[in-house]
């Protein structure tokens, strides 16, 4: 499902992604390595079997208000349907500027941390004269269809779906949450990624098979090649044994023929 805001008259005075800062100079950095690794895993495994373009952003400024061009949110991970992977041909994005792009995010994922938990869960109120909170922007300003929060401290995975203009929490089954628009499901997975063995969010196909990362694909191919080599070796060993049995049969036939000749019988 492609989300678009109502078209607005073109304004030459609006800044583009090249004019807006892509980083907050007061930002002290990522809260922890999980905030670095988890978005990478989501990006690697999000390969929906759909025909339309899509863009994935992670820790990228999202500018959303043409009347307040310096206001932005910085989702940990987001997916936009109907937007090309690169902006203006082959140019990688500096930020995602909504009035330049047109397409609204389809899904936003926020990874909870102590400093952002209240705002991520919609528990903070907007301060007069200040930009709206994340929850307000995602729910009311952009009307992002799906909003996910994940708390790694207790592996709590929650999903909210926009319903009648408000976010309602949806139940998530043991096999994750199915997105019919993507033909993929998002769920929890316990395993090792970047050498860290913990609980992660990742994407699964319609058969509940996990979408493999590049490393997992290479490892799978290596195991398959090793199994093929073992099968080839086993086939060669079976062929050698068959040849040995044939040689033994020939030798027995020759001994029997020799015995018959010694008795004056010419073997046929």
């Amino acid at each position: 499902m492609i989300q678009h805001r109502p078209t607005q008259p073109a304004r030459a005075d609006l800044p583009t992604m090249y004019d807006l800062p892509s980083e907050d100079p007061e930002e002290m950095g990522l809260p922890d390595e999980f905030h670095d690794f988890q978005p990478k895993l989501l990006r690697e495994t999000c390969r929906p079997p759909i025909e339309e373009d899509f863009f994935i952003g992670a820790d990228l400024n999202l500018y959303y208000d043409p009347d307040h061009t310096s206001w932005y949110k910085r989702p940990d991970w987001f997916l936009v349907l109907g937007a090309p992977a690169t902006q203006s041909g082959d140019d990688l994005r500096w930020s995602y500027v909504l009035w330049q792009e047109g397409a609204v995010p389809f899904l936003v994922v926020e990874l909870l941390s102590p400093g952002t938990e209240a705002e991520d869960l919609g528990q903070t109120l907007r301060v007069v004269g200040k930009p709206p909170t994340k929850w307000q922007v995602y729910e009311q300003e952009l009307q992002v269809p799906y909003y996910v929060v994940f708390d790694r401290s207790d592996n709590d995975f929650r999903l909210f779906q926009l319903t009648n203009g408000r976010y309602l929490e949806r139940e998530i089954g043991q096999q994750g949450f199915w997105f019919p628009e993507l033909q993929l499901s998002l769920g929890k997975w316990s395993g090792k990624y970047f050498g860290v063995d913990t609980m992660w969010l990742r994407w699964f196909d319609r058969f509940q098979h996990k979408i493999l990362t590049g490393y997992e694909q290479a490892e799978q191919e290596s195991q398959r090649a090793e199994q093929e080599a073992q099968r080839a070796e086993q086939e060669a060993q079976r062929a050698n044994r068959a040849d040995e049995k044939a040689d033994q049969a020939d030798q027995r036939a020759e001994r029997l023929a020799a015995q018959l000749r010694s008795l004056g019988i010419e073997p046929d």
Side-chain angles (χ1 to χ4, degrees), residues 149-163:
V149 293
F150 183 59
D151 187 352
R152 69 182 295 256
S153 64
D154 56 7
N155 299 321
D156 188 23
F157 168 31
R158 302 174 67 184
L159 183 142
F160 302 87
Q161 183 176 10
L162 193 70
T163 306

Side-chain angles (χ1 to χ4, degrees), residues 16-23 55 59-63 72-74 78 87 92-98 100-101:
T16 69
M17 68 178 183
Y18 301 102
D19 306 312
L20 297 164
S22 59
E23 294 179 297
F55 167 71
D59 199 33
L60 192 72
N61 285 2
L62 169 60
Y63 291 92
Y72 69 89
K73 297 303 176 188
R74 197 176 179 94
F78 64 99
Q87 212 278 333
L92 295 176
R93 289 174 174 83
W94 296 14
S95 299
Y96 191 86
V97 181
L98 192 60
Q100 185 180 5
E101 304 277 358

